Amino acid sequence: MIPASFDYEVAESVDHALELLRTKEDPKLIAGGHSLLPLMKLRLARPGTLVDIGRLGDLRGVRDAGDHLAIGGLTRHHDLNTDALARQHCPLIAYAAGLVGDPQVRHRGTIGGSLAHGDPASDLPTICLVLDAVIVARGPGGERTIDASGFFNGFFDTALAEDEIITEVRVPKTGSAGWSYLKFRQRALDWATVGVAAVVGSSHGSIQGAKVAFTNMGQTPLRAAAVEAALDGAPRDAVAQAAQKADEGTDPPSDTWATGDFRRHLARVLTGRAVEEALSR
Amino acid sequence: MATTERPAPSIGQRKQRKEDPELITGASRYVDDISIPGMLWVYVVRSPFAHARINGIDLSEALAAPGVVAAYTGETLEMGPLVMAWPINDECKAPAHLPLTKDKARYVGDPVAVVVADSRVHAKDAAELVQVEWEPLPAVTDIKEALADGAPIVHEEYGTNDAGSWIMSRDSPAPIRNPSGPYFEDPDMVTIKEEYYLSRLIPNAMEPRGVVVDVNSSMGEYTVYSATQIPHILRTTLTITCGVPEAKLRVVAPDVGGGFGSKLEAYPEDAICLTIAKVLGRPVKWIEERSEGYVATLHGREMYQQIELASTKDGILKAVRVKLWASMGAHMRIITPGIPMLGAWLYAGCYDVEGYDFEYTNVFTNNTFTDAYRGAGRPEATYAIERAMDALARELGMDPVELRRKNFISDDKFPNYTIASGLTIDSANYAGTLEKCIGMLGYEKFRAEQKSRRESGSTKVLGVGFSTWLEMCGIAPSRVLAALKYIAGGWDAATVEFLPTGTVRVLTGVSPHGQGEVTTFSQIVADQLGVDFDDVEVLHGDTQIVPLGLDTYGSRGLSVGGVALWKAGEKIIEKARKIAAHELECAEEDLEFAGGDFTVKGTDRSANIKALGFSAWSAHNLPDGMEPGLTATHLYDPPNFSWPNGAHACVVEVDTETGSIDLLRYIAVDDCGVRINPMVVEGQVHGGVAQGIAEALFEEATYDSEGNLQHGTMTTYMLPGPPELPSFELDHTVTPSPTNPMGVKGVGEAGTIAAPPAVINAVVDALSHLGVTNVGRPATPERVWNAIQEARR
Amino acid sequence: MKRITVTVNGVTHEAEVEERELLVYFLREGLGLTGTNVGCDTSSCGTCTIHLDGESVKSCTLLAVQADGAEITTIEGLATNGELHPMQAAFQEHHGLQCGYCTPGMIMAATSLLKENPSPSEDDIRHGLEGNLCRCTGYHNIVKAVAAVANG
């Protein structure tokens, strides 16, 4: 319940934060702190210096940027859940943000923190993956963009460099496409045992551009490539069969919540349900 | 006898609790809120191995760390073993349990060293620097594996992990009506044999444990503030372990944030803190961290059950035969070996049988010790019989409600019916509670809905489960405890005193920590003595203020402590009557007592009890030879257990594709005799039911092959939150206990006893059309789904 | 050590705190506001819930230094002029507490919930309190108390 000792610096600007990351010993960014502090309290994480970017108000909020929404890296789950623009143009991410943790967690936790943590059991990484979001990062060499598809490298491992900060997340507006996120868990405040996100368009009775992604089905959030391929251009009654391919290419963990085999089963069932729900929206 | 007819201005009212104003404003004082000048902090170094020899401990680095005052191992901090109070028979193995282990660690979390420093932070930092030379040994955490040949041995001196058996036909002081064997050999009988595994549970009182010890070195006096349910018992056990004279040891249970049995214990940390305070002559404090508590605080249940029923072909239950194998964990704590025995007599449930046999075997494993968890023994019994009754109903092709109706002990057997296992139930209303429950449920309508849902081919199917229950609570008649080899008694004490300013001070030997006795005992006194509810002050939980008592557990607060209070009140009335007769110059027999007034029959001359209290205090004009003061103490030893009962029903919706369960309705009809405060009674039932549901659907503590606790934090151990539970539908019947003058029984454990089989029976019922007959508990989605797959195979 | 300024229950405090000091310990041990309890070490139980700038947060999962400049309300600051907050009164009236340990956090979570959703359904209330565990009440009477306040 008491973290090991560390130094603490408040960043006054993104540039200042980058400088602190460069100059301080064993630095670690903290925003809401709801991924990091629990680990520090159990002394499973022992950073040398915490660089607090929680006060960078510029990085907070949702902006309409034409074909996409620009979500500041420090936008909290609660903000995203209640944001009018997000609810209108990308209801999936607004909805999913409301499923992260509990209200207190959502009052502190941020989208940037959630992505940078790279937890495959976490909701927003999956949502960003299924939406083909673009992650904007700033580092000593300036700004770069990283596609969500190339962001999650491995278990708690992302493309974000140690000296970079997520400043923005760009999510395409979903327009008329239907959406769903089914988060299977025993208790409301748990991580997903399995989560299935779907964004599905349809025209003239056939499915167009179906996108499906999983939470907690491998080392990273995963896109369900086989399902997407099976659905693309298929009639609506092909969903059940396509869903059977859901666990192809996944590598789900076995833990106290479920075995890998049961997760595979859940992925198949929930994929069918998620796609159907998306089609009905 | 029963007093339901008596006019009751306070008893029976939904009085708001006197406890609440502090608790809702943050003015409460739990042990972690206590700070004493000069106080040092204790941090306990624990074994990371389930089983490992200690080849050396190096404290030097820790001692050199900032703020560190001292550090100790079991070799350097002198203490005796912790007290184990229930050696169930001669074959019960009870190895000495030292607060700091010296030779080897026997479970993950076993305390091996302590660091004492000037702050919480320094103590924790320095504890990381303690170097222990470990020699890891193979560990065993499963009951059956522990009994197998070649298993690692937890206590080598015994050469076995078998900690001894208790066999009813041999060890029980009460004779069994008939042995069960002949019924099972009778070819005309229908017999079933069921096996269940009850998972290991972590009690999870919301307040972690903690101890603060204050020292008055010049007087050799110590005050131990402990988050405990049992300040009196703890005082005695600490004296034995630490050698502090009992008269100089004061134990205080400040506000205590829940217990559920987890604070009914003599823990290593209590003894360690007292001993360090004694050695250093300084106040010390230890506060448990939650994840630490998951290995350091007692666990509950974990047993294999085998239950056999023999019945006639038309469903008359004739015999019950039960065998249990229970996990002790690594040590026998204060009443560990006797926990399964607390259910021993109840495995026939509310049903009248002829033949009965019961035995259990205790087993050592490399886990945290088990001990009393809410219900202790009785939830286990109720689970076995109520699940087995459903199994028998399936075997016979009978409706489970019909089978229960057919077998209840009928009302005309009471009062005082001796059941086949040998105990005598004073009163109950088994059929009555079930009928009420069925009515609330709308049973026939439910069955129709269940059928149509199934026929529609929906993947969301419905099920209902029933559980009728009884318990022996109000622990306990001291003579019975003696016959069961429990070391202490089961009485409790109360003192009532009129203070000169007109208020009534009540000292109770029970130690409430959420149960609301400050309120309910005020209601009792208000009624009995005719004083204002607000003029009664109930004090508890401090052995200096209330020297006599045996504390709170086993639903005994009201049925033992409350009856002691009533008896003390009777003595008060008796004495006040003498003073009144003296003042009013009449014979005692001419006085009527009502509403606080002694009135001379047929006149308007009267004396109020408060005024008589003042007279007794001033002692200006008392009858010759009378002691001053209007005060009375009573130690009440109950002549029997108390016997509440009830019937619960649970309705679930099961998703056959994912195995997830939605709890749609939970109905509880309970009979705890006369209810002092219905609001408090309902609260007890709500909380108990929630814990029972949690046990059935969510909670389990499992270990990996190396003996590490897998559900080791509150993140992984599944305590249900508000969204996981429904609102509950409650009703009751009132069958006053003839055993005590208030007609009360006890309700603290009711819900926890009743709920698990109701829930699991509902899940099995929902899936019965698929051929499912059992689902392991907790019934997680994966277990439910697996049960469906197995049935389909 | 870092210097921080926080306003707690309307009173401004300046203090030197160690970087790693959790906000809950600063409140409890630094300011003596022991009404906020600690129930776990994994941000799971909600017992330590307070309001930070008007919103519920778990004070065990914030560093005191992160709260520099913030307005904090704890259970001690909920009553005004000796009058219980309606949520406190409702918890007592509906028996929404037994041992009382989760109660301060539960009340703070509930008041934050009603601020964001003044007329919640039973389901909304249950989900609004999903970050708070209680082991005594089964939540039944807690939900009743919150509903009673919401319905005026």
Side-chain angles (χ1 to χ4, degrees), chain B residues 91 135 202 338 372-373 514 542 675 716 737 746 753:
Chain B
E91 68 177 64
E135 180 189 332
I202 302 179
Y373 171 56
D542 181 335
R675 309 191 315 162
T716 45
S737 166
I753 291 170

Side-chain angles (χ1 to χ4, degrees), chain B residues 663-666 693 722-728, chain C residues 122 126 138 140:
Chain B
L663 231 158
L664 301 182
R665 293 180 72 188
Y666 196 96
I693 291 171
E724 284 72 60
L725 294 170
S727 283
F728 309 116
Chain C
E122 178 179 334
R126 288 183 178 274
H140 182 105

Side-chain angles (χ1 to χ4, degrees), chain B residues 373-395:
Chain B
Y373 171 56
R374 198 174 193 173
R378 291 145 294 171
E380 294 90 318
T382 305
Y383 187 74
I385 181 63
E386 288 302 298
R387 289 292 320 280
M389 285 299 275
D390 270 29
L392 179 62
R394 279 193 299 275
E395 181 73 23

Side-chain angles (χ1 to χ4, degrees), chain B residues 16-17 24 30 32-33 120-121 125 203-204 290-291 373 679 683 686-687 691 699 719-720 722 725 727-728, chain C residues 20 25 28-29 35 39 41-42 75 88 92-93 95 98-101 122 126 129 135-140:
Chain B
Q16 291 197 12
R17 294 203 319 169
I24 57 179
Y30 299 95
D32 196 11
D33 303 340
R120 191 196 294 259
V121 174
D125 285 353
N204 275 293
R290 177 62 65 179
S291 304
Y373 171 56
M679 181 187 83
H686 292 153
Q691 270 174 318
E699 294 181 31
L719 295 170
L725 294 170
S727 283
F728 309 116
Chain C
R20 59 170 154 166
Y25 287 131
R28 288 177 50 81
E29 291 166 10
D41 48 9
T42 47
I75 188 71
Q88 292 172 309
Q92 174 165 24
E93 190 186 341
H95 193 31
Q98 289 177 30
C99 82
Y101 199 76
E122 178 179 334
R126 288 183 178 274
L129 299 176
R135 196 61 160 165
C136 294
T137 65
Y139 308 106
H140 182 105

Side-chain angles (χ1 to χ4, degrees), chain B residues 191-196 305-311 317 319-322 347-348 351 380-396 400 403-404 466 757 761 773-774:
Chain B
T191 64
I192 61 159
K193 182 176 183 176
E194 292 279 296
E195 292 188 324
Y196 308 120
Q305 303 184 316
Q306 195 182 84
I307 181 168
E308 296 169 273
L309 304 185
S311 105
L317 192 60
V320 177
R321 186 159 67 188
V322 174
Y347 278 80
Y351 315 112
E380 294 90 318
T382 305
Y383 187 74
I385 181 63
E386 288 302 298
R387 289 292 320 280
M389 285 299 275
D390 270 29
L392 179 62
R394 279 193 299 275
E395 181 73 23
L396 295 168
L403 181 65
R404 285 175 169 84
F466 298 95
N761 280 341
T773 57
N774 189 24

Side-chain angles (χ1 to χ4, degrees), chain B residues 14 16-18 20-21 23-26 28 30 32-33 41 120-121 125 202-208 256-258 260 289-292 373-374 513-514 679-680 683-684 686-688 690-691 694 699 713-715 717 719-723 725-728, chain C residues 18 20 25 28-29 34-45 47 75-77 79 84 88-89 91-104 106-107 122-123 125-127 129-141 143-144:
Chain B
R14 309 175 75 88
Q16 291 197 12
R17 294 203 319 169
K18 291 182 171 183
D20 291 353
L23 301 174
I24 57 179
T25 55
S28 45
Y30 299 95
D32 196 11
D33 303 340
W41 283 81
R120 191 196 294 259
V121 174
D125 285 353
I202 302 179
N204 275 293
M206 288 311 299
E207 181 205 20
V256 174
F260 317 111
E289 298 183 356
R290 177 62 65 179
S291 304
E292 177 185 27
Y373 171 56
R374 198 174 193 173
H513 41 281
M679 181 187 83
V680 169
Q684 289 293 311
H686 292 153
Q691 270 174 318
E699 294 181 31
T713 72
M714 217 181 238
T715 310
Y717 190 84
L719 295 170
L725 294 170
S727 283
F728 309 116
Chain C
E18 203 188 344
R20 59 170 154 166
Y25 287 131
R28 288 177 50 81
E29 291 166 10
T34 55
T36 304
N37 295 323
V38 177
C40 75
D41 48 9
T42 47
S43 317
S44 310
C45 74
T47 298
I75 188 71
E76 289 94 341
L84 290 179
Q88 292 172 309
F91 266 64
Q92 174 165 24
E93 190 186 341
H94 296 279
H95 193 31
L97 66 149
Q98 289 177 30
C99 82
Y101 199 76
C102 77
T103 308
M106 200 63 87
I107 288 176
E122 178 179 334
D123 200 45
I125 294 171
R126 288 183 178 274
H127 277 280
L129 299 176
E130 67 196 9
N132 292 71
L133 298 174
C134 169
R135 196 61 160 165
C136 294
T137 65
Y139 308 106
H140 182 105
N141 285 340
V143 173
K144 232 165 101 179

